[in-house]
Amino acid sequence: MNNQFSSFINVEDIGPLDMALAEAMEIKQDRYKYQHLGKNKTLMMIFFNNSLRTRLSTQKAAMNLGMNVIVLDVNAGAWKLETERGVIMDGDKSEHLLEAIPVMGCYCDMIGVRSFAGLTDREYDYAETVLQQFIKYSGKPVFAMETATVHPLQAFADLITIEEYKKVERPKVVLTWAPHCRALPQAVPNSFAQWMRAADVDFVVTHPKGYELDPKFVGDACVEYDQRKAFEGADFIYAKNWSNPGVTNLADYGKITSKDMSWTVDTEHMSWTNDAKFMHCLPVRRGLIVTDDVIESANSIVIPEAANREISCSVVIKRMLEAL
């Protein structure tokens, strides 16, 4: 296999973004053009947690490319898997990933992995412990279907959507934190920040103090703690909750340290923008992240955004097939 595309995790794995976007638009015009690439090839999709868009879009993309697809729900249709090394397996986990992963690799040509952050051990989560074991031991190309820290297929789909709906050459894109009733991972905002920094956009992140994303992903992006100021002149508003990343205080990692409802995106918030499009990765908690009137407005592009998940995944799988 060509090692140039043996895994897909971060934005640098996709190569030049202009080429990736051009490929996405080509595939969108003819989703079945490259069916021959996947003939007699099998994708195994492994889910450690629930999924709707990722499951459906990835399976559809693989089928468009002529592949067979195996879907494994680890928590519903398999032995409970141990992920830690050096443990005495005398509990409810019957099989270790170190045996399960190479066995999975025997039955497929590539693997997609979905595994959320535990939000209790930052070092464990940010080391991408589960994903890295698949890359090391499966012997097959591996792509992330959302992991402890990243969701690149979502971020790529977001970029495709922005490219389709932008009205100016270099739009202002704002990632805004919003309140939530549950502690959520930082994977989506991490990847969105990473991909927007690589794209030709004016990118701003806004959130309450203490919610700073890991510098590995947010880099030198503009961070504005005044949400109204951040929204001014924006062409796209991307709303997303994330739990405390623990950057400024490790003890806060994975916790909800703010429930400030003034951050909920409503009509007033959107009035501060340049008639911005509203984006969200879905699923979304209405009344917390965004109000009904905003998500149901003509400027809401959450459904086209979700539809582009099929396209972003098609590009990634196509390139992996070409590299086999």
Side-chain angles (χ1 to χ4, degrees):
M1 178 183 160
N2 182 344
N3 288 326
Q4 288 184 344
F5 209 74
S6 59
S7 63
F8 174 72
I9 305 170
N10 298 304
V11 66
E12 56 265 25
D13 297 326
I14 203 70
L17 288 184
D18 57 344
M19 294 178 63
L21 286 168
E23 199 167 341
M25 301 309 172
E26 177 195 18
I27 287 174
K28 200 162 187 178
Q29 291 300 312
D30 184 356
R31 297 164 198 245
Y32 308 102
K33 181 177 180 179
Y34 296 99
Q35 274 192 330
H36 61 283
L37 291 175
K39 185 178 180 180
N40 298 328
K41 297 290 193 301
T42 299
L43 166 66
M44 182 173 287
M45 299 165 57
I46 300 165
F47 292 88
F48 286 85
N49 49 272
N50 296 335
S51 172
L52 189 151
R53 275 147 297 277
T54 297
R55 180 189 297 261
L56 297 178
S57 63
T58 306
Q59 188 164 356
K60 182 65 165 61
M63 292 167 63
N64 291 352
L65 291 162
M67 299 190 78
N68 302 310
V69 181
I70 299 172
V71 179
L72 177 64
D73 285 296
V74 171
N75 295 321
W79 301 111
K80 287 189 176 181
L81 296 176
E82 178 59 65
T83 60
E84 298 281 358
R85 298 180 69 96
V87 299
I88 297 174
M89 292 174 58
D90 59 355
D92 64 343
K93 296 177 180 177
S94 306
E95 186 162 9
H96 203 288
L97 272 183
L98 293 178
E99 287 78 58
I101 290 172
V103 167
M104 294 175 191
C106 293
Y107 307 140
C108 64
D109 298 281
M110 72 177 66
I111 297 175
V113 179
R114 183 176 175 97
S115 175
F116 275 7
L119 296 179
T120 56
D121 184 338
R122 191 181 194 282
E123 182 178 357
Y124 182 90
D125 287 344
Y126 273 71
E128 290 291 5
T129 307
V130 173
L131 178 69
Q132 290 301 328
Q133 289 185 74
F134 276 92
I135 292 172
K136 186 174 182 179
Y137 298 114
S138 70
K140 297 296 161 65
V142 175
F143 63 90
M145 299 191 301
E146 188 168 8
T147 70
T149 68
V150 293
H151 199 347
L153 291 173
Q154 179 65 55
F156 186 15
D158 296 334
L159 179 60
I160 294 168
T161 308
I162 289 170
E163 186 69 16
E164 290 179 315
Y165 283 87
K166 70 182 185 181
K167 296 178 181 178
V168 295
E169 189 61 29
R170 193 169 189 271
K172 180 178 179 179
V173 179
V174 177
L175 169 63
T176 180
W177 179 92
H180 204 281
C181 56
R182 295 179 56 210
L184 299 183
Q186 299 98 43
V188 169
N190 281 346
S191 278
F192 188 73
Q194 187 183 53
W195 284 68
M196 289 303 106
R197 285 175 51 226
D200 187 19
V201 301
D202 176 12
F203 181 54
V204 178
V205 184
T206 185
H207 54 71
K209 289 187 177 180
Y211 272 80
E212 290 77 10
L213 296 169
D214 193 298
K216 173 182 176 181
F217 301 105
V218 78
D220 59 356
C222 174
V223 176
E224 174 54 66
Y225 297 106
D226 184 330
Q227 191 185 29
R228 179 166 188 157
K229 186 175 179 181
F231 274 45
E232 290 176 356
D235 299 292
F236 294 90
I237 297 296
Y238 196 104
K240 184 69 180 80
N241 173 266
W242 60 92
S243 61
N244 197 301
V247 172
T248 57
N249 184 359
L250 183 59
D252 287 335
Y253 175 64
K255 295 180 180 178
I256 298 174
T257 52
S258 176
K259 293 183 179 180
D260 188 348
M261 293 292 289
S262 71
W263 285 76
T264 300
V265 179
D266 59 16
T267 300
E268 181 184 355
H269 284 71
M270 296 301 289
S271 73
W272 304 335
T273 72
N274 183 30
D275 195 32
K277 300 296 186 183
F278 176 81
M279 301 178 70
H280 188 280
C281 61
L282 304 181
V284 65
R285 298 266 186 157
R286 291 184 177 216
L288 289 175
I289 301 292
V290 60
T291 55
D292 289 349
D293 52 348
V294 170
I295 198 168
E296 293 177 15
S297 73
N299 277 14
S300 172
I301 54 174
V302 296
I303 304 305
E305 180 185 359
N308 277 331
R309 290 293 306 280
E310 177 187 343
I311 306 304
S312 64
C313 193
S314 294
V315 174
V316 170
I317 294 177
K318 171 182 174 287
R319 290 190 176 189
M320 285 194 162
L321 286 169
E322 290 172 335
L324 287 175

